[in-house]
Amino acid sequence: MTTLALGPSWLDPDYLLNTFGVWGLLAIVFAESGLLIGFFLPGDSLLFTTGLLITTKQLDFPLWLCVVLICIAAILGDQAGYLFGKKVGPSLFNRPDSKLFKQENVVKAHDFFEKYGPKSLVLARFVPIVRTFTPIIAGVSGMRYRSFITFNIIGGILWGAGVTLLGAWLGNIDFVHKNIEAILILIVLISVVPIVIEFLRARSKSKKTAAAEGDAPGPAPAPRGRHAKR
C-alpha cells in the first residue's frame, strides 16, 4: 500500500511501518507520549495505518498483541514524561526556544492541563503536540501519582486501542482501503481541530477583553471650582 506523505517522506506512516515494523511503531508511540523530542511524530495516522495494514494482511503481526503493546508503550511514555516533569520542574518554563523546542507548546499544554485537570491526560491523547507535553506538565505541577497513573492508563488504552482498532475495522471496508490517502489526511485534519478551536476561542476572548477595556469608563474627573474643597 502506498500513501501520500503527510509532511516529510520519513514521517509517512506507511514508510515508517515498512522500514521499522511494529517495534519501531512502539518506540514512536513511547516517544510521542511523553518525550520532548516526540511531539512532531504522526501518532494518530500511524496507529490507524497499523490497524489497517494488519487487518488487510499487509503487516504480519497479531492484532490483539499489537494493541496490547501499543497501550503499554503509550502508558510508559506518559510515565516517563511525568517523571521527567517532576524532576525538571519549573525550569522547563525557562528553557529557551530551539528548533525542536518551543516555549509556546509548554504554555499551551499547561493551560490545557489547568482547564481540564486530571482528565486532561485522557483528552490530550487525541490532541497532537499537547499529548506530548501534558504528562510533563502533570509532573511539573506535582499532580498526585495515584490520580496520574489512573488517568494515564485510561487515556493510553482509549487512544492506543481505539485508534488502532478503528483502522482495523475500517480496513475491511473497500472504500476506505481504496482511499487510504484521503482517510489519513482526514485523520490529521480531525486531530488538529481541537487546536484550531482553542486558538479561535482564545483569540475571540482576547478581542472581547480588549473591547471591554476600551469601553470601560475612565476615572471620574476631580471636582473643580469653589465647591471642590471645603
Side-chain angles (χ1 to χ4, degrees), residues 63-82:
L63 179 61
W64 70 268
L65 180 57
C66 187
V67 168
V68 170
L69 293 175
I70 287 172
C71 292
I72 292 174
I75 292 169
L76 291 179
D78 262 30
Q79 176 74 21
Y82 175 84

Side-chain angles (χ1 to χ4, degrees), residues 30-36 74-87 92 109-110 112-113 118 120-122 124-125 127 129-143 148 152:
F30 177 85
E32 198 200 11
S33 294
L35 302 184
L36 288 175
I75 292 169
L76 291 179
D78 262 30
Q79 176 74 21
Y82 175 84
L83 294 176
F84 174 79
K86 198 167 185 179
K87 184 175 182 179
L92 185 66
H110 179 266
F112 193 88
F113 181 79
S120 64
L121 291 167
V122 178
R125 287 286 188 179
V127 184
I129 300 178
V130 174
R131 71 167 149 256
T132 302
F133 289 91
T134 298
I136 299 174
I137 299 301
V140 171
S141 66
M143 179 180 180
F148 168 79
N152 176 20

Side-chain angles (χ1 to χ4, degrees), residues 126 185-194:
F126 300 89
I185 293 175
L186 180 62
I187 290 174
V188 172
L189 293 177
I190 291 175
S191 65
V192 300
V193 164

Side-chain angles (χ1 to χ4, degrees), residues 43-230:
D44 299 313
S45 56
L46 188 60
L47 295 186
F48 183 89
T49 303
T50 299
L52 188 147
L53 290 179
I54 290 177
T55 200
T56 55
K57 309 300 182 184
Q58 298 183 60
L59 186 60
D60 185 20
F61 203 90
L63 179 61
W64 70 268
L65 180 57
C66 187
V67 168
V68 170
L69 293 175
I70 287 172
C71 292
I72 292 174
I75 292 169
L76 291 179
D78 262 30
Q79 176 74 21
Y82 175 84
L83 294 176
F84 174 79
K86 198 167 185 179
K87 184 175 182 179
V88 171
S91 63
L92 185 66
F93 289 88
N94 299 320
R95 181 173 176 175
D97 286 351
S98 65
K99 290 183 178 180
L100 292 178
F101 179 86
K102 297 297 180 183
Q103 189 61 235
E104 62 179 311
N105 291 334
V106 178
V107 175
K108 188 182 299 181
H110 179 266
D111 292 342
F112 193 88
F113 181 79
E114 289 294 318
K115 181 176 181 179
Y116 296 106
K119 67 180 181 181
S120 64
L121 291 167
V122 178
L123 299 175
R125 287 286 188 179
F126 300 89
V127 184
I129 300 178
V130 174
R131 71 167 149 256
T132 302
F133 289 91
T134 298
I136 299 174
I137 299 301
V140 171
S141 66
M143 179 180 180
R144 286 182 57 199
Y145 182 73
R146 181 177 296 181
S147 296
F148 168 79
I149 195 65
T150 299
F151 286 95
N152 176 20
I153 292 174
I154 294 173
I157 292 175
L158 287 178
W159 179 66
V163 179
T164 307
L165 292 176
L166 178 65
W169 175 60
L170 293 179
N172 290 314
I173 301 176
D174 191 53
F175 172 81
V176 174
H177 188 58
K178 289 182 178 179
N179 296 275
I180 184 61
E181 297 93 343
I183 297 296
L184 289 179
I185 293 175
L186 180 62
I187 290 174
V188 172
L189 293 177
I190 291 175
S191 65
V192 300
V193 164
I195 296 178
V196 175
I197 292 176
E198 203 61 38
F199 170 77
L200 294 176
R201 186 178 297 169
R203 189 171 69 170
S204 175
K205 185 177 180 180
S206 63
K207 285 183 178 180
K208 289 180 180 178
T209 301
E213 291 175 352
D215 294 338
R224 296 180 180 180
R226 59 193 181 98
H227 299 294
K229 199 173 184 181
R230 296 286 183 182

